[in-house]
Amino acid sequence: MRIGVLTGGGDAPGLNPAIAGVVEGASRYGYEVVGLKRGWEALVVKDTGEYVVQLGPEIIREYSRLGGSRLHCSRTNPVSEGGDRTEQVIENVKKLGLDVIIAIGGDDTLGAGAALNERGVPVIGIPKTIDRDLAGTEYSLGYDTALNVICNSAEQISHSARSHQTVFFLEVMGRHAGWLALRGGEAAFADVILIPEYSFKISKLISVIGEKLGKSREMGLEHMYKLIVVAEGVHIEGEEEVRKDAKLDEFGHYSLGGVGNYLKSLLEHNFDHTRYMALAYLQRGASPSQKDRQMGRRFGNNAVDMIKDGHIGYMVALQKSRLVSVPLEEIKKSPSLIDVDKYYDRDNLNVKIERIRSGNK
Ligand code: F6P
């Protein structure tokens, strides 16, 4: 059995531990593993020479603790409309003698994997995205590390913000889903959390911040800073984002970033001191947290077990806190977005803290 493993889409902490987990699992059964560099790109090129690397158990220790992807990433879409390269993939898989591909990625990479699998390329998926919005799984690699970066950064920023009584806009990632903003902001005791799932009015934002500042005033200067956590994919009511000139990747996405700065520029005349910072790639660049190492290892090992059990065309997933395998097509279902009614307090533009209902035992 010869397994090809690849990492596609944006990098995320946990990819290398997952590769290590695949190699660990494979060595248990005497399977061979080769790394395919730059995601699906490795299988759509004519000359695969520089894209292929042998991965033996000697890589496990090193990969287990590294951020990013030692196999590199790309947003190559082998099945893009108008540029379908399935035939080339099939040819390369045959040429390289691969029996199965383990693709580690998000909805785009695994969606392409599902399409290829339907066309006869054996694929198994491992979920990753710091946004934690994939259908079919409660966990995707990178989320926990990114949350920790948000939490620690908010703590660091608070020292400066406290000193200057700043209204601080902290921008975090999250294109369609605001989980990073919601859960990172919750842990950081943010004053306001803005998520893509709920469009807000600028006037509302100004009044909520103003109200919170008013309430803090009697507690003294120490409390006159406000932390606003903003997901990069937020929508401002009444303002349509027009990016006609934007460069799209092969999956049709343009890069986000800067909405926190935009909000700061809109509000800087309303408050004495406003500042902005985007955490951007610091969220993806940290070395993997304990959880991302553990989950990467488990996902990797179980992907190999799935090969052994003939579960081709499936993805490793976490459901109800247990590891399961789900059909790859699940990834194409609607993303896991925040249920605003359940988790978001629209009046305060903030997280609804989960409470035990009286009577619950
Ligand atoms: O999907 C994960 C993610 O981190 C999103 O939150 C973000 O919009 C995107 O990737 C940015 O990716 P890149 O700049 O690498 O294209």
Side-chain angles (χ1 to χ4, degrees), residues 4-11 15 19 34-45 48 50-53 69-78 85 89 92-93 96 98 101-106 108-110 112-113 116 128 250-251:
V5 58
L6 61 83
T7 54
D11 66 289
L15 289 174
I19 299 166
V34 293
L36 304 169
K37 294 185 187 172
R38 290 186 54 80
W40 290 115
E41 187 178 310
L43 295 175
V44 299
V45 291
T48 53
E50 285 186 23
Y51 285 85
V52 181
V53 57
S69 171
R70 292 303 308 275
L71 294 178
H72 309 281
C73 300
S74 76
R75 295 198 187 266
T76 305
N77 182 359
R85 288 163 284 180
V89 174
N92 283 334
V93 167
L96 295 169
L98 301 174
I101 311 295
I102 295 182
I104 315 175
D108 293 332
T109 301
L110 300 188
L116 287 169
K128 80 78 225 193
E250 290 186 21
F251 291 94

Side-chain angles (χ1 to χ4, degrees), residues 63-325:
Y63 278 42
S64 67
R65 54 191 150 81
L66 293 178
S69 171
R70 292 303 308 275
L71 294 178
H72 309 281
C73 300
S74 76
R75 295 198 187 266
T76 305
N77 182 359
V79 292
S80 67
E81 273 175 42
D84 191 299
R85 288 163 284 180
T86 305
E87 288 312 314
Q88 187 65 52
V89 174
I90 293 173
E91 196 182 312
N92 283 334
V93 167
K94 208 180 277 175
K95 191 180 77 188
L96 295 169
L98 301 174
D99 297 296
V100 60
I101 311 295
I102 295 182
I104 315 175
D107 53 349
D108 293 332
T109 301
L110 300 188
L116 287 169
N117 189 75
E118 271 167 34
R119 296 169 201 179
V121 180
V123 178
I124 280 180
I126 293 181
K128 80 78 225 193
T129 171
I130 66 167
D131 292 7
R132 213 224 73 160
D133 61 352
L134 299 180
T137 183
E138 283 159 16
Y139 195 72
S140 55
L141 298 176
Y143 177 62
D144 184 67
T145 309
L147 272 185
N148 280 306
V149 171
I150 294 169
C151 200
N152 294 335
S153 305
E155 158 78 25
Q156 282 182 261
I157 281 164
S158 73
H159 298 301
S160 172
R162 188 184 297 114
S163 307
H164 294 268
Q165 294 81 54
T166 312
V167 171
F168 205 107
F169 294 87
L170 180 65
E171 183 183 301
V172 302
M173 280 185 169
R175 180 178 290 273
H176 305 295
W179 293 113
L180 285 172
L182 191 80
R183 295 300 177 219
E186 179 178 12
F189 286 64
D191 298 282
V192 169
I193 300 173
L194 302 171
I195 55 174
E197 292 89 337
Y198 181 71
S199 3
F200 59 93
K201 284 201 177 99
I202 291 295
S203 54
K204 171 84 186 172
L205 178 60
I206 294 172
S207 80
V208 169
I209 299 172
E211 236 170 72
K212 289 184 185 253
L213 276 169
K215 280 187 190 152
S216 310
R217 198 152 279 133
E218 60 206 43
M219 292 196 285
L221 272 186
E222 195 59 12
H223 301 275
M224 293 296 289
Y225 73 92
K226 294 293 150 220
L227 175 66
I228 324 297
V229 176
V230 190
E232 62 179 3
V234 289
H235 306 286
I236 302 168
E237 212 174 290
E239 291 196 28
E240 266 326 299
E241 203 180 342
V242 186
R243 295 279 317 264
K244 287 201 184 100
D245 56 336
K247 183 180 171 189
L248 302 182
D249 68 21
E250 290 186 21
F251 291 94
H253 308 304
Y254 58 80
S255 67
L256 295 172
V259 69
N261 197 21
Y262 177 65
L263 289 173
K264 175 208 169 276
S265 72
L266 290 183
L267 270 61
E268 64 190 358
H269 296 293
N270 296 78
F271 303 105
D272 290 342
H273 195 259
T274 51
R275 289 294 182 265
Y276 149 81
M277 186 181 169
L279 287 181
Y281 300 91
L282 292 177
Q283 294 159 97
R284 301 212 312 225
S287 76
S289 65
Q290 176 274 339
K291 178 161 181 170
D292 279 318
R293 293 178 199 209
Q294 179 189 20
M295 291 307 293
R297 185 176 188 181
R298 288 187 183 181
F299 280 172
N301 267 277
N302 279 276
V304 178
D305 285 341
M306 283 157 61
I307 298 174
K308 181 114 175 87
D309 297 341
H311 275 208
I312 306 297
Y314 284 74
M315 160 179 101
V316 195
L318 191 74
Q319 288 186 357
K320 295 189 179 141
S321 305
R322 299 199 67 85
L323 285 171
V324 293
S325 68

